[in-house]
Amino acid sequence: VALGVALGVALGVASGVGLGVGLGVGLGVALGVAFILGTLRVYFWIPELLWMFFLLRFVPEGDEAKWLLHLPPYFDQIIHLPIPLIDSFIVKAYRQSPVAAQQTIDYLINSTNQQKVALKAMVGIAIDTLNRCQNSQDIVAITEQLAWIPSPPPAEIGSVLPEFLAISQDVRAAENASSAYLQYETLATPVTKLNGLRNSLVFDKNPALATSFGSIVQRWLDILEISRKTLEEAALDSAEIRQVYVAGPALNPENSNSRFKGRLDVFREIESLAVSSQPPVLLLYGGRRTGKTSTLKFLPQKVGSELVPLLIDFQGAAMATTLSGLAEFIADAIIEEARRNRNLKLSAIDRESLKKEPFMTLQKWFVQIEKNAPGQRFLLCLDEFERLQEVVTDTGSRSPLNFLRYIVQHRDNWILLFSGSHTLDELNPYWSDYLINTQSLRMTYLQESEARDLIRNPVPNFPEIYTESAIDEIIYLTRCQPYYVQLMCCMLVDRLNAINRENTRLDLEKQSQLTAEDVQAVIIKSLERGGVVFRERYQEFAESEREFLHKLLYEPVLSVAESRSWQRLVDKEVLEVTEAGYRFQVPLFQKFVELQSR
C-alpha cells in the first residue's frame, strides 16, 4: 500500500511536470496536485474526518460502543491517511464494551490501512484503564483486563505496561495471603516496585511517557498505602501475632530496615579501607545465609555519600552466555544502582561498541564516569563472584578477569569488593593472578546482643512473646547465626498463633509467651522448613568429612583421638576445637546431622 501511494505521488508529480511543459506550469502543477489528492483519497478523507467530529460531538456519552460499526474504516477500508479521533472514540467505547472495542482494533489492524490508529487506541485504552483504578480490587483486575494487548506491547507503553501488569499480580498475591498482617507485609513488594518505577520515569528520555504514567504510579501508590494502613489496623485488632521474621531471601532496605541488625564493624571496615589512599581489593566471605547480600544492600545507608556502592549480583550475570551479554548486564546494574543509591545519573554507554568490544568499552565508560563525578569513589560490589568462573568456562575467555585486573591497577577511584562463600585459595588457581593486594573481611555470627535484639524487636512495637528462657534457648541452638535465628523465630510465631487459635476454639485462655519448651518443640519443624539450606550446607562437604561429622555424634572420644586434621570443617564454622577436642559450633546444625544418621 505504501509503495502504491509513493508511486502514485511520484507519478502525479511527473505528470504535472510533463503537462507543465505543454500546458503551462500553473495548469500542470494544478493537475499534479489534483492527482496526488486523488491518490491519497483526500476527497473522501475530509468528509470522513467531519463524520468523526460529528460522532464525538453528538453520540451520547456511554453509547460509543453502539456506534463502532459506523466508524469510517467500516465503509472505506482503503483510505490511506490516518483518521484522527478514531482512537479516542474507541477508548471511550472500551469502557462500555471491551469486546466490541477489541474487535474494532482487530479489524483496523487486519482489514484496513489504519494500523497506526489501532496502536494509538491500544495505548489510550491501557493508559485509561490503568488511570481509572479506584481501589486494590481494580488493580488486581488489570492483569486480566489488559491481557489481550499483544506482547511485546506498542512501543509507547512497551517499557512500562509489563511493570504495571507485574505489580497487579503482586497485589493479587497479597490479597490471597492467609491473614491481614501477611496481606499487609506482601503489599510491601508492589509498593517498592511502584517507587522504583516512579524513579525510573523521572530519568526517562520520553517526557510524554513520564507525564502519562507518573500520575498513574502516584494514584496506585495512594491506593496501596491506604490498603496497607487498613490491613495494619486489622492485624493489630486481631489476636494473631504478626509474622515478621524473614527466613530466606536477603533483606532489602525498602521493606526490612528494622529487621537488619548489627554488622557495624563490617560497614566501618569497608568504608575505612575504601576511602584510604591506596585501597585494597576487598573480599567479604562467609558461609551461605550469613547475611552477606543483605549487608551489601544496606551498604549505601551505612557509608558516606562520597562512596557510591554499586551491587552486581553475579548469580544473575552467570546466565549470560556471551562476553557482550555479561558486559551489558554489568553496565545496566551499575546504572540502576547509581540511580537508586545516590540519585546519580551516569553517562550513557555506547551499546553498539559494547557488542563489538565489550570490556574495552566498559573501561572507557568507567573513565567517563569518573570525569563526570569528581570527588567520588565507586565501590563495585561483586556478589556471588564465584559464578564468574562459569562465564569464563562457557566463553573460553578470561576477558572479564583481565577487565577486573585493569580496574585494580589503573582506576584509583574504583574499588572492588568480592563477596562469596569461598576464600581465594578455594578457587581456581588463576584467580590469584588477578586478585592481588586482597583484604579479607569475614562474615560470621551476629553478636549475642544483636541476636537478642532481632528476636525481641524484629519490627517496632512487636509484642513481648518470649520468656528469657526461650530467648536463651534460641541463642544456644543457633549460636546467633542470623538465618537460623530468623527461621526458629518464624516457626515459634506460627506455633503461638496455632496454639491460640485452638485455645479460642476450645474457649480456653490464650498463651501470651513462648517458653524454652516451645523452642524445643519447633526444632524438627525448623529443620524441615529450612531443609534446603541445611542440606545444601551438608552436601558441600566431602564424603570423608561427612563421615567424621557422624562419627563425632556417637564416638566423641574416638573422634578426638583421630590424628587427621579437620581444619576445613573448622574454617567453615561447622566444628570448633575445644580442650576436649572437636565439637559442633551450631547445635541446630548438629540436630540436622543427627537426622541424616537415622
Side-chain angles (χ1 to χ4, degrees):
V1 173
L3 179 60
V5 172
L7 288 174
V9 173
L11 182 59
V13 174
S15 300
V17 173
L19 288 170
V21 175
L23 301 177
V25 174
L27 178 61
V29 171
L31 290 174
V33 170
F35 188 87
I36 293 171
L37 294 176
T39 301
L40 297 177
R41 306 182 82 250
V42 174
Y43 307 112
F44 297 94
W45 179 80
I46 291 175
E48 289 169 355
L49 178 60
L50 293 174
W51 175 243
M52 281 307 308
F53 275 114
F54 174 83
L55 291 179
L56 280 173
R57 176 67 179 82
F58 293 105
V59 170
E61 187 173 353
D63 286 348
E64 288 87 358
K66 300 176 183 178
W67 286 79
L68 285 175
L69 294 178
H70 298 282
L71 293 176
Y74 277 105
F75 50 81
D76 185 6
Q77 294 179 320
I78 62 174
I79 188 72
H80 299 304
L81 296 174
I83 304 176
L85 309 178
I86 288 182
D87 56 302
S88 300
F89 196 85
I90 295 174
V91 171
K92 291 183 177 181
Y94 183 86
R95 299 173 185 173
Q96 292 82 45
S97 179
V99 173
Q102 292 171 40
Q103 290 173 345
T104 300
I105 290 174
D106 290 340
Y107 173 77
L108 294 178
I109 292 174
N110 298 313
S111 302
T112 74
N113 300 321
Q114 300 295 312
Q115 286 79 14
K116 289 185 178 180
V117 172
L119 291 178
K120 285 186 66 178
M122 280 188 197
V123 172
I125 287 171
I127 293 175
D128 185 65
T129 304
L130 295 171
N131 200 37
R132 289 169 65 83
C133 291
Q134 300 295 321
N135 50 50
S136 58
Q137 288 76 25
D138 291 342
I139 294 176
V140 169
I142 287 294
T143 302
E144 293 182 2
Q145 289 178 359
L146 299 182
W148 60 275
I149 294 181
S151 182
E156 293 85 349
I157 54 173
S159 62
V160 179
L161 181 59
E163 295 193 53
F164 277 107
L165 295 178
I167 291 167
S168 171
Q169 293 169 348
D170 290 335
V171 177
R172 180 193 298 275
E175 294 213 336
N176 290 332
S178 58
S179 69
Y181 190 77
L182 284 178
Q183 291 175 336
Y184 166 80
E185 282 287 287
T186 310
L187 274 181
T189 298
V191 168
T192 299
K193 288 184 179 180
L194 282 169
N195 282 315
L197 179 56
R198 178 173 59 183
N199 293 336
S200 66
L201 287 172
V202 171
F203 290 99
D204 199 282
K205 296 180 180 179
N206 186 342
L209 192 72
T211 302
S212 298
F213 289 101
S215 60
I216 298 174
V217 169
Q218 189 57 54
R219 175 187 291 271
W220 282 31
L221 277 170
D222 293 341
I223 291 171
L224 296 186
E225 289 296 350
I226 292 173
S227 295
R228 290 196 83 209
K229 185 175 181 179
T230 302
L231 289 168
E232 185 178 27
E233 291 173 353
L236 291 173
D237 290 340
S238 71
E240 185 171 357
I241 303 300
R242 299 176 290 168
Q243 184 53 274
V244 298
Y245 297 99
V246 179
L251 301 177
N252 284 306
E254 293 87 355
N255 52 28
S256 298
N257 197 47
S258 61
R259 295 183 184 90
F260 186 86
K261 307 293 184 181
R263 307 306 190 192
L264 294 179
D265 55 335
V266 175
F267 291 131
R268 294 287 76 80
E269 191 164 5
I270 288 175
E271 183 173 33
S272 175
L273 292 170
V275 300
S276 61
S277 58
Q278 292 184 314
V281 174
L282 306 179
L283 175 61
L284 182 66
Y285 75 98
R288 295 191 181 279
R289 310 295 177 127
T290 53
K292 298 184 297 297
T293 301
S294 297
T295 298
L296 295 180
K297 285 179 176 288
F298 278 83
L299 194 56
Q301 296 184 359
K302 306 296 184 178
V303 297
S305 60
E306 71 281 358
L307 190 62
V308 184
L310 305 169
L311 175 60
I312 302 177
D313 180 7
F314 273 91
Q315 190 143 11
M319 293 186 292
T321 57
T322 63
L323 295 177
S324 59
L326 174 62
E328 187 170 15
F329 180 92
I330 292 173
D332 288 341
I334 289 174
I335 291 171
E336 175 61 20
E337 285 288 295
R339 181 197 63 77
R340 178 190 296 127
N341 296 336
R342 292 292 184 259
N343 199 25
L344 185 63
K345 186 176 182 180
L346 302 182
S347 56
I349 191 169
D350 188 334
R351 299 283 172 172
E352 289 303 316
S353 296
L354 202 61
K355 296 175 182 178
K356 300 173 184 177
E357 293 288 347
F359 291 100
M360 182 61 70
T361 303
L362 279 181
Q363 289 181 19
K364 295 178 180 178
W365 185 53
F366 276 29
V367 173
Q368 186 63 42
I369 290 174
E370 288 182 58
K371 291 180 180 179
N372 294 338
Q376 290 186 303
R377 279 189 166 181
F378 299 88
L379 181 62
L380 205 56
C381 305
L382 312 179
D383 197 22
E384 300 284 351
F385 77 96
E386 300 97 332
R387 304 302 292 270
L388 263 178
Q389 290 187 170
E390 298 176 23
V391 179
V392 170
T393 301
D394 291 343
T395 61
S397 171
R398 296 188 185 178
S399 293
L401 301 180
N402 290 330
F403 165 72
L404 295 177
R405 180 162 58 185
Y406 163 83
I407 297 301
V408 171
Q409 295 178 343
H410 301 288
R411 303 261 50 94
D412 293 339
N413 289 330
W414 290 81
I415 302 98
L416 297 185
L417 185 153
F418 292 83
S419 175
S421 55
H422 297 83
T423 56
L424 293 182
D425 57 358
E426 296 176 297
L427 299 172
N428 194 300
Y430 61 65
W431 279 96
S432 60
D433 296 333
Y434 294 92
L435 300 182
I436 55 177
N437 186 28
T438 301
Q439 176 79 39
S440 296
L441 306 172
R442 183 157 195 164
M443 185 69 72
T444 183
Y445 310 113
L446 294 173
Q447 297 179 20
E448 183 174 327
S449 60
E450 296 166 348
R452 289 181 180 273
D453 186 30
L454 173 58
I455 296 168
R456 288 194 180 97
N457 306 301
V459 295
N461 302 316
F462 190 72
E464 296 181 8
I465 62 172
Y466 303 99
T467 61
E468 282 300 318
S469 63
I471 296 175
D472 292 341
E473 190 69 10
I474 296 170
I475 296 295
Y476 165 73
L477 286 169
T478 65
R479 193 165 177 166
C480 304
Q481 203 276 2
Y483 171 78
Y484 296 162
V485 172
Q486 296 261 17
L487 176 64
M488 293 211 74
C489 289
C490 182
M491 301 311 300
L492 285 164
V493 169
D494 285 350
R495 174 179 172 81
L496 185 58
N497 285 330
I499 289 173
N500 285 332
R501 281 193 294 269
E502 182 65 13
N503 287 349
T504 299
R505 188 182 70 82
L506 298 175
D507 199 24
L508 299 175
E509 185 179 352
K510 293 181 180 179
Q511 179 176 330
S512 60
Q513 286 195 309
L514 294 154
T515 66
E517 288 73 21
D518 291 306
V519 177
Q520 285 291 322
V522 301
I523 288 177
I524 298 301
K525 286 190 176 182
S526 297
L527 296 177
E528 291 173 352
R529 174 74 67 86
V532 173
V533 175
F534 288 105
R535 196 169 297 108
E536 180 185 63
R537 182 156 179 74
Y538 180 74
Q539 293 294 337
E540 73 178 80
F541 302 116
E543 183 64 31
S544 59
E545 292 172 324
R546 291 198 293 269
E547 289 177 358
F548 180 75
L549 292 178
H550 290 283
K551 182 180 291 186
L552 186 61
L553 291 173
Y554 303 107
E555 302 178 71
V557 176
L558 176 62
S559 297
V560 169
E562 296 239 357
S563 59
R564 183 173 176 181
S565 172
W566 300 100
Q567 186 59 39
R568 183 170 181 269
L569 293 174
V570 176
D571 294 339
K572 290 293 184 180
E573 296 186 326
V574 176
L575 301 180
E576 61 184 348
V577 181
T578 69
E579 292 181 359
Y582 293 109
R583 73 175 180 188
F584 283 87
Q585 286 198 31
V586 182
L588 190 62
F589 185 72
Q590 179 179 348
K591 298 286 186 184
F592 177 81
V593 176
E594 289 175 1
L595 289 179
Q596 308 311 302
S597 301
R598 294 177 184 175

